[in-house]
Amino acid sequence: MKTVLMVAEKPSLAQSIAKILSRGNASSRKGLNGACSVHEYTGSFMGQNVRFKMTSVCGHVMSLDFIGKYNNWDKVDPAELFSKAPTEKKEANPKLNMVKFLQVEGRSCDYVVLWLDCDKEGENICFEVLDAIHPVMNKAHGGERTVYRAKFSSITDTDILNAMNRLGEPNKNEALSVDARQELDLRIGCAFTRFQTKYFQGKYGNLDSSLISFGPCQTPTLGFCVERHDKIQSFKPETYWVLQVKVSHGQEHPLSLDWDRVRVFDREIAQMFINITKTAKEAQVESVSKKEKAKQRPQALNTVEMLRVASSALGMGPQHTMQIAERLYTQGYISYPRTETTHYPENFDLKGTLKQQANNPFWADTVKTLLAEGINRPRKGADAGDHPPITPMRSATESELGGDAWRLYEYITRHFIATISHDCKYLQTSIAFSVGPEMFTTTCKEVISPGFTEIMPWQGIPKEESFESCQRGDKFSVDEMKLVEKQTCPPDYLTEAELITLMEKHGIGTDASIPVHINNVCQRNYVTVESGRRLKPTSLGIVLVHGYYKIDAELVLPTIRSAVEKQLNLIAQGKANFQQVLDHTLDIFKRKFHYFVDSIAGMDELMEVSFSPLAATGKPLSRCGKCHRFMKYIQAKPSRLHCSHCDDTYSLPQNGTIKLYKELRCPLDDFELVLWSSGSRGKSYPLCPYCYNHTPFRDMKKGMGCNECTHPTCQHSLSMLGIAQCVECESGVMVLDSTSGPKWKMACNKCNVIVHFFENAHRVRVSAETCEACDAALVHVDFNKAKSPLPADQTQHTGCVFCDSVFQDLVELKHATMKHPMHKGGQGRRQGRGRGRGRRPNPKKPKDKMAALAAYFV
């Protein structure tokens, strides 16, 4: 029996699709990577009985990066990244072992059906999957087709079964357009980012951003925000005057009239108008017009409109909205949420989709009325040729979804019902008055038929008091007339919704990437999100954009990126050559980069005004090993130490606190050690600022602290404080935190595992001897007599943390499950504990009562 491997983009999708295709008869098992399941069943494929294996990936299998040495910021000129630096595809998440998993499941398969998301990114992932499994599949005979592509827009029985019956082929051109975008963004973004980050962080201490990043889409996005900021700053209010009149004709409330001239900006002229008008005691009706008008129902919903409404009406950020929408899609509640289309195809089952909502208590009455009276054909929209508009695919309740997921689903459903409802019809009555020589108007709207506003009440016509019947020549008494002084107002900061509109208009990003670009400018501290989800640029964001304008405006204007997006779309359509587009675009940006580097002084002049130089920033903390003067600790991101005498800057670990470590010095370079800590419940370790930036030994990497230092005799090194292999990860070593007393702990020097032990001990030190059972270093513990928990009033004991029965009650289990190899039925550790021995242990059978480890993730 032949085997068909089917691959979806997410584990939950694979489960749902397998359930539909197998009619619930699939058996499931976990894959070797633990993240993806495999669902197996038998069925018919291309007229033959086969065994189906349905599994998934977790997004992209591979990611693009530079090869080894070109990832070193210190050794590579950023200009080389445009052409000389070779790139390679690496596993996007090495921990998932996705390539190996796909090869294991794809081995000896005869056919593959790709159920990846139906957009350009999905097509790209199709070929990543094929690259992994092609070498291990059975070879095709006689030109037999073995690769199929399923096209679907929702996780419904009908859509999935139709997709299975109409299998196509993956689109290589669309995949190539994604490859081109990835390479352009990598090379351009990295070159500019590395240069300006090193340049400005080497000069200024209070930038408060760990990365001064540039992105071909990110930077124009920031540009829109700063452009609005500049308009606000340069705005000069102007005073104007408005003539306000109120009239009555026996009705309870007077009518407020709008001046036909609207406003005047000259006070003397305004005073003249009120002088010639205030003599009139009556207002005469000059005309009465009644006109039936319609407020159009909305077009079908696409991604950009969903993001706009979610931000402006629901208060949800674009990236958060997309995460929720994707979850609703994978759970089968809505159709595919990434689409540019606002037009339903002629064969779309609108009535069947509407029937799904007939029993939902929130809109059941409206739905039943529509079904009884007949639905209205949706307005003609734009067909981008990708997916149908975002549509609810099954009914849901608030208790079922909850929170933001329900609010977004409710809007999507109401929007869909509105698109097939009738327009809102209303009667607009306008009355023109003359008061002396001046003309005034008042308008009233009365709803005739609410139409779609019944399901979208926030779009409804405001209820107004209707006019009393009147006709031309009727007289109204003037109750009030006054000249009101006002001022023009500046525009407000851009809302996310307005920014999304600008990005769509200028072709910056795609419906899928727009949320990412907006999130990036927030994460980089270029803009802050204020109330009403308005985006206010920071000083850093403003200076960067002004600097780009000063040097090369095209770096920040949307025009060049919009042109690149058009070229990428031509690749997707098979109308442009991948390599030619790539080479041409990189050549343009390479020239711009060289000009930017040569002209950086222009941006630097702006930086000097807003930010402080390194020498004037920070507080003295530790002594430099070269000049023995105090170095300043700069706490603003990225935190670092700066020696103003040597003019050297030293990187530090981020996201924690730094303090002087007992004025102790590194035996290699005489720099004073500092202590990094993530908090009382987190990790802490000492480090030498110089060694952290310049590795002292070949087996070390830049960015390692004393807990990873292989110095053979230093009292703070891994060699002296390492205890055993990490209880969670494969490569880490549990190292004693000698600063943690009296709440002693050991922590992995690679991952975030911490083990608490020997609370209130006076002293804990690591012995040179090792445990015969598990090869862990023995630990010597010294308690004060009054607080000693040791048996028989002992105050000292040396033993193994894992195996010694005396210690078993002194090591508390709090969170994570014990994963030390000695707690797995005597399975030996894979390697030595990294204290210079590297011996392979020969573990003995563990004791019945092991010391429980209080291991938990920080």
Side-chain angles (χ1 to χ4, degrees):
M1 184 181 290
K2 290 189 174 182
T3 302
V4 179
L5 177 67
M6 302 195 293
V7 185
E9 191 156 322
K10 296 182 180 71
S12 55
L13 274 179
Q15 183 179 5
S16 300
I17 294 169
K19 185 177 180 181
I20 293 169
L21 294 177
S22 70
R23 294 180 174 82
N25 293 321
S27 61
S28 301
R29 59 179 171 82
K30 275 285 184 187
L32 66 85
N33 64 2
C36 303
S37 296
V38 182
H39 313 279
E40 297 176 295
Y41 64 98
T42 55
S44 177
F45 183 78
M46 300 298 166
Q48 54 188 323
N49 284 330
V50 297
R51 179 170 71 105
F52 287 101
K53 292 168 70 176
M54 181 82 201
T55 188
S56 73
V57 290
C58 296
H60 273 283
V61 179
M62 311 298 287
S63 63
L64 190 70
D65 201 357
F66 296 111
I67 64 167
K69 76 169 188 176
Y70 287 94
N71 283 314
N72 189 319
W73 287 34
D74 298 320
K75 294 182 179 179
V76 176
D77 181 352
E80 294 183 27
L81 302 181
F82 284 98
S83 53
K84 290 184 180 178
T87 59
E88 63 179 344
K89 291 274 189 176
K90 299 178 181 178
E91 283 205 51
N93 190 341
K95 291 182 179 179
L96 290 178
N97 286 317
M98 193 59 72
V99 172
K100 184 179 179 182
F101 165 70
L102 289 171
Q103 289 178 342
V104 167
E105 299 302 334
R107 185 166 285 112
S108 301
C109 284
D110 301 280
Y111 307 99
V112 60
V113 181
L114 300 159
W115 290 85
L116 286 307
D117 285 353
C118 300
D119 56 13
K120 291 172 187 172
E121 294 289 339
E123 296 302 322
N124 190 262
I125 300 172
C126 282
F127 287 92
E128 292 176 354
V129 171
L130 291 175
D131 287 343
I133 64 175
H134 250 149
V136 297
M137 287 178 63
N138 289 335
K139 302 302 178 186
H141 300 288
E144 181 187 16
R145 183 178 163 196
T146 59
V147 177
Y148 297 87
R149 176 73 162 108
K151 294 278 187 177
F152 58 102
S153 295
S154 64
I155 314 301
T156 61
D157 292 14
T158 303
D159 216 9
I160 296 302
L161 293 171
N162 284 341
M164 192 64 180
N165 292 328
R166 301 172 185 169
L167 295 173
E169 295 182 12
N171 189 319
K172 182 65 175 176
N173 289 328
E174 289 191 357
L176 281 174
S177 75
V178 175
D179 283 338
R181 178 182 283 109
Q182 287 178 349
E183 187 162 348
L184 288 174
D185 289 350
L186 176 71
R187 291 186 181 277
I188 297 167
C190 284
F192 278 90
T193 297
R194 289 186 189 183
F195 171 73
Q196 62 188 27
T197 298
K198 289 192 71 177
Y199 186 88
F200 291 120
Q201 285 186 351
K203 293 191 70 174
Y204 302 101
N206 56 341
L207 297 176
D208 202 25
S209 181
S210 54
L211 202 66
I212 315 298
S213 65
F214 175 94
C217 286
Q218 170 195 302
T219 304
T221 301
L222 173 61
F224 290 130
C225 300
V226 176
E227 183 184 16
R228 176 63 64 87
H229 167 83
D230 290 344
K231 286 180 179 177
I232 294 169
Q233 296 301 308
S234 61
F235 182 84
K236 293 180 179 178
E238 290 185 82
T239 304
Y240 65 91
W241 289 265
V242 176
L243 195 55
Q244 289 186 352
V245 174
K246 289 184 179 180
V247 299
S248 61
H249 191 238
Q251 72 267 40
E252 185 178 344
H253 299 289
L255 296 177
S256 294
L257 307 185
D258 297 319
W259 192 19
D260 282 9
R261 295 184 191 275
V262 184
R263 60 186 179 179
V264 293
F265 287 87
D266 189 305
R267 181 178 177 83
E268 290 182 3
I269 292 175
Q271 192 64 47
M272 178 195 73
F273 281 125
I274 194 167
N275 288 340
I276 63 175
T277 307
K278 68 181 180 182
T279 55
K281 301 301 179 185
E282 289 183 325
Q284 180 173 305
V285 176
E286 297 295 332
S287 66
V288 179
S289 66
K290 292 179 182 285
K291 191 173 183 180
E292 189 175 306
K293 291 192 172 185
K295 184 174 183 178
Q296 281 191 314
R297 63 199 180 279
Q299 285 187 327
L301 186 65
N302 67 3
T303 306
V304 169
E305 181 62 19
M306 178 185 71
L307 295 175
R308 270 197 291 254
V309 173
S311 177
S312 59
L314 304 180
M316 293 160 52
Q319 192 158 42
H320 179 54
T321 300
M322 280 309 300
Q323 289 169 350
I324 293 172
E326 286 172 4
R327 190 163 70 245
L328 290 172
Y329 160 66
T330 57
Q331 292 171 343
Y333 290 107
I334 64 171
S335 62
Y336 192 62
R338 291 196 189 106
T339 177
E340 297 174 17
T341 295
T342 57
H343 177 74
Y344 282 107
E346 295 299 321
N347 61 352
F348 194 92
D349 187 8
L350 295 166
K351 196 170 183 178
T353 304
L354 185 62
K355 283 180 179 177
Q356 298 264 13
Q357 305 293 336
N359 295 319
N360 193 302
F362 288 91
W363 39 75
D365 293 342
T366 305
V367 169
K368 287 173 182 175
T369 302
L370 267 176
L371 290 170
E373 296 177 356
I375 64 174
N376 194 21
R377 188 72 200 165
R379 286 170 56 196
K380 186 171 179 62
D383 185 359
D386 48 0
H387 288 272
I390 303 169
T391 309
M393 302 313 297
R394 63 185 173 103
S395 185
T397 61
E398 186 172 5
S399 58
E400 198 175 334
L401 299 178
D404 288 343
W406 163 252
R407 293 166 64 221
L408 185 61
Y409 172 83
E410 180 186 14
Y411 172 74
I412 291 169
T413 306
R414 288 184 182 274
H415 189 108
F416 166 71
I417 297 170
T419 61
I420 52 177
S421 299
H422 294 276
D423 292 344
C424 171
K425 294 180 180 178
Y426 61 94
L427 181 68
Q428 180 170 296
T429 303
S430 297
I431 306 175
F433 291 89
S434 63
V435 183
E438 288 303 292
M439 296 299 296
F440 296 82
T441 309
T442 187
T443 304
C444 174
K445 296 174 183 176
E446 294 179 78
V447 175
I448 300 170
S449 170
F452 78 94
T453 62
E454 192 174 350
I455 194 70
M456 299 177 83
W458 60 91
Q459 294 271 21
I461 304 296
K463 194 171 182 180
E464 298 174 350
E465 186 180 351
S466 58
F467 293 156
E468 287 189 14
S469 179
C470 63
Q471 55 189 8
R472 184 178 180 183
D474 285 355
K475 307 284 188 180
F476 282 62
S477 61
V478 177
D479 295 344
E480 183 182 320
M481 184 184 299
K482 60 182 178 181
L483 193 63
V484 179
E485 182 181 309
K486 295 186 177 183
Q487 278 194 328
T488 54
C489 296
D492 211 334
Y493 285 104
L494 279 180
T495 63
E496 282 176 333
E498 291 168 335
L499 178 57
I500 290 166
T501 302
L502 286 170
M503 293 174 73
E504 181 191 32
K505 177 183 175 182
H506 292 282
I508 300 300
T510 64
D511 52 0
S513 65
I514 282 173
V516 177
H517 301 316
I518 295 175
N519 185 63
N520 281 344
V521 296
C522 296
Q523 292 292 319
R524 298 285 183 261
N525 195 34
Y526 295 162
V527 301
T528 57
V529 182
E530 306 292 315
S531 61
R533 300 209 67 83
R534 294 191 177 275
L535 302 170
K536 184 178 180 180
T538 62
S539 296
L540 179 59
I542 294 165
V543 169
L544 283 174
V545 169
H546 289 174
Y548 294 135
Y549 272 117
K550 193 173 182 180
I551 297 172
D552 182 356
E554 283 192 334
L555 292 175
V556 72
L557 289 172
T559 47
I560 192 165
R561 182 60 192 194
S562 181
V564 171
E565 286 291 345
K566 288 175 183 174
Q567 292 298 311
L568 294 175
N569 285 333
L570 289 176
I571 294 175
Q573 296 163 19
K575 297 177 180 178
N577 179 272
F578 165 83
Q579 197 61 48
Q580 287 177 352
V581 170
L582 195 66
D583 292 343
H584 177 67
T585 307
L586 286 174
D587 183 59
I588 291 172
F589 274 95
K590 184 178 181 180
R591 293 168 187 267
K592 288 183 173 296
F593 176 78
H594 284 295
Y595 183 73
F596 180 75
V597 171
D598 293 340
S599 310
I600 194 64
M603 185 182 282
D604 198 21
E605 288 172 1
L606 301 177
M607 286 280 186
E608 285 177 348
V609 176
S610 299
F611 301 103
S612 304
L614 278 175
T617 312
K619 297 178 180 178
L621 179 71
S622 64
R623 290 186 183 273
C624 171
K626 297 177 181 178
C627 66
H628 299 288
R629 289 178 171 85
F630 276 105
M631 297 189 292
K632 286 189 174 181
Y633 172 47
I634 300 163
Q635 201 165 357
K637 290 182 181 178
S639 58
R640 53 210 190 274
L641 286 168
H642 177 71
C643 177
S644 55
H645 184 264
C646 302
D647 196 21
D648 288 331
T649 304
Y650 300 96
S651 301
L652 295 171
Q654 303 299 303
N655 304 317
T657 59
I658 293 282
K659 61 182 181 181
L660 189 61
Y661 184 53
K662 304 178 183 176
E663 297 186 359
L664 297 172
R665 294 178 182 268
C666 175
L668 295 172
D669 48 50
D670 211 30
F671 274 71
E672 282 188 334
L673 302 183
V674 294
L675 182 72
W676 177 87
S677 174
S678 61
S680 59
R681 292 182 58 81
K683 289 171 63 173
S684 60
Y685 57 84
L687 62 107
C688 164
Y690 190 84
C691 293
Y692 188 82
N693 289 269
H694 307 88
T695 53
F697 303 110
R698 287 183 180 180
D699 56 352
M700 291 178 64
K701 294 179 181 178
K702 184 177 177 179
M704 287 184 169
C706 296
N707 62 344
E708 294 182 82
C709 179
T710 52
H711 192 294
T713 59
C714 177
Q715 59 178 322
H716 314 293
S717 70
L718 168 66
S719 304
M720 301 300 289
L721 298 178
I723 294 176
Q725 181 189 336
C726 176
V727 297
E728 287 284 346
C729 70
E730 296 182 6
S731 58
V733 175
M734 302 300 292
V735 180
L736 173 67
D737 182 350
S738 57
T739 69
S740 58
K743 296 186 177 181
W744 297 93
K745 58 191 175 187
M746 61 178 175
C748 176
N749 60 6
K750 296 290 186 185
C751 71
N752 288 328
V753 170
I754 296 176
V755 175
H756 291 263
F757 51 18
F758 313 129
E759 186 168 352
N760 293 321
H762 174 62
R763 184 184 294 108
V764 176
R765 60 182 177 83
V766 181
S767 170
E769 300 174 18
T770 58
C771 174
E772 293 182 0
C774 70
D775 198 40
L778 300 185
V779 175
H780 178 78
V781 185
D782 187 354
F783 283 94
N784 288 325
K785 191 168 186 179
K787 293 185 177 181
S788 177
L790 300 175
D793 293 330
Q794 295 180 61
T795 58
Q796 297 181 350
H797 186 78
T798 301
C800 176
V801 171
F802 307 104
C803 308
D804 196 312
S805 58
V806 175
F807 284 161
Q808 67 180 357
D809 294 326
L810 306 182
V811 185
E812 300 173 4
L813 175 63
K814 290 186 178 180
H815 289 83
T817 306
M818 180 57 214
K819 290 190 178 181
H820 189 274
M822 285 301 296
H823 291 237
K824 297 179 182 178
Q827 296 298 311
R829 295 190 293 112
R830 288 178 289 273
Q831 61 188 42
R833 59 190 171 88
R835 281 171 47 84
R837 298 169 179 80
R839 294 184 297 167
R840 186 177 297 277
N842 181 23
K844 298 177 180 178
K845 186 176 179 181
K847 300 174 177 65
D848 293 334
K849 294 183 179 180
M850 275 296 181
L853 288 182
Y856 66 97
F857 289 100
V858 178

